Amino acid sequence: MKTLVIVTGPTGSGKTDLAIELAESLDTEIVSADSRQIFRDIPIGTAAPTADQMARVKHHFIGCLNLEQYYSAACYEEDALRTLDEIWSTRDFAVMCGGSMMYIDAVTNGIDQLPTISPEIRKKLLKYIPTEVWMHYTTLFTLSTPNIWNNATDITTDASSMP
């Protein structure tokens, strides 16, 4: 039987160290379930694994996307399930580590099929919201309630009704 061991909790709580210890003892790899660590160039505030930590155990979904790239929980579900299948083709265990519960839920319970927001609607939204306001919004909510950032796609979805 193939087993997924999930390590979750708030940023800075020691998830990465625990996941590395588990992965080493189980001779497996780590699948990150962090909606911010997946992006390059934002290691501050995400507690991304260090180069030394990543050298100890193979990590997936760390610093692999540009900030401008669209990526949703549905994209993550598809990519993570494919990665887990690859890991499980040679191992009995995989370790998932992160605090993005929408990502973890997508893998463990599946995700509802929702329409993707078109690039045109995204562009329209950004025209109405100046970059400074958007950055302030994301910083404010990320600092005050870290899990709300996972719901930012709901806000974008509502933009489809804009004139």
Side-chain angles (χ1 to χ4, degrees), residues 13 57 64 66 156:
S13 62
V57 175
C64 56
N66 292 321
T156 305

Side-chain angles (χ1 to χ4, degrees), residues 64-106:
C64 56
L65 297 175
N66 292 321
L67 284 172
E68 301 80 28
Q69 287 180 268
Y70 172 76
Y71 200 75
S72 66
C75 295
Y76 177 80
E77 176 192 26
E78 183 178 322
D79 293 343
L81 289 174
R82 184 174 45 253
T83 299
L84 288 169
D85 282 342
E86 291 169 9
I87 293 169
W88 285 330
S89 71
T90 60
R91 296 170 168 84
D92 289 329
F93 294 93
V95 175
M96 179 171 280
C97 178
S100 296
M101 292 309 298
M102 184 176 263
Y103 279 17
I104 294 168
D105 190 59

Side-chain angles (χ1 to χ4, degrees), residues 6 22 29 34 41 43 62 86 90 99 109 111 118 123 125 127 145 147 159:
I6 299 173
L22 285 167
E29 302 172 10
D34 190 294
D41 302 324
I62 300 288
E86 291 169 9
T90 60
N109 298 311
I111 195 164
S118 73
K123 189 181 287 186
L125 173 67
K127 185 168 59 172
T145 51
N147 290 333

